[in-house]
Amino acid sequence: IAMYQELAKNVRVVGIGECGLDYYRLPDNRDHEEIKLLQRAAFHEQIKLAIELDKALCVHCRPSEGTLDAYLEMLNVISDVKKDNPSLRFEIHCYTGDAETALKFVELGGFVGLNGIITFDKTGRSESVVKALTLESIILETDAPYLTPKSHRGQRNEPSYLPEVAQQIADWKDVTVEA
């Protein structure tokens, strides 16, 4: 942690992350609860670092397939932390959960990161998430080199593809891309 503290003190560092909980592909040959405990412990240290250095937190949160488990746990963690540290700033990166959970993150003062996934969402949740959120609570992101918007699938993702993500949001919100 000392090495990360020193690195993060640099004025060019604006956030701590991408860090959080990932329950999507846990190795079959290991105890899943042990892995989750290790993830939680590491995440709490990264939160402490963000608070100590007054940096924003870029949160990676990927639930087990077909669940919202990691998102719900993340809500509890952030909610608990915010009680004693209300100034903690955070973004839920690459959000794929439901609208209700997204709104709870925003209520805690967070932002919701959306990327190319929303242009080919197989779950059908992205539209309801976008419609539920205010434009001010959404962050456009690439997650380059992955998660390329639909029209560029199979290519390396890059920031120049963000207009497609913005257009999808604008269409669902019934606003202009400029808005």
Side-chain angles (χ1 to χ4, degrees), residues 142-156:
T142 61
D143 202 31
Y146 307 109
L147 307 179
T148 310
K150 188 176 183 178
S151 70
H152 299 285
R153 296 290 289 156
Q155 299 174 31
R156 180 182 174 87

Side-chain angles (χ1 to χ4, degrees), residues 24-94:
Y24 190 70
R25 286 194 183 112
L26 300 177
D28 291 332
N29 60 345
R30 301 256 323 265
D31 179 347
H32 290 186
E33 286 310 308
E34 179 186 348
I35 293 169
K36 289 177 181 180
L37 281 171
L38 290 169
Q39 287 187 27
R40 287 182 206 119
F43 184 53
H44 280 284
E45 290 301 314
Q46 292 158 330
I47 291 171
K48 281 198 260 184
L49 183 60
I51 292 167
E52 175 188 326
L53 300 176
D54 192 27
K55 306 284 183 177
L57 195 62
C58 180
V59 178
H60 173 93
C61 191
R62 195 168 183 200
S64 305
E65 191 168 1
T67 76
L68 293 173
D69 59 355
Y71 284 121
L72 298 176
E73 188 170 337
M74 185 63 66
L75 268 172
N76 288 333
V77 169
I78 292 175
S79 181
D80 286 346
V81 169
K82 290 281 282 187
K83 288 175 188 169
D84 294 326
N85 302 280
S87 63
L88 176 69
R89 301 177 318 278
F90 70 97
E91 172 221 0
I92 303 297
H93 159 70
C94 188

Side-chain angles (χ1 to χ4, degrees), residues 133-164:
L133 296 174
T134 64
L135 291 176
E136 295 78 15
S137 64
I138 296 172
I139 292 178
L140 299 181
E141 55 184 20
T142 61
D143 202 31
Y146 307 109
L147 307 179
T148 310
K150 188 176 183 178
S151 70
H152 299 285
R153 296 290 289 156
Q155 299 174 31
R156 180 182 174 87
N157 201 2
E158 59 183 65
S160 68
Y161 299 156
L162 277 179
E164 188 171 341

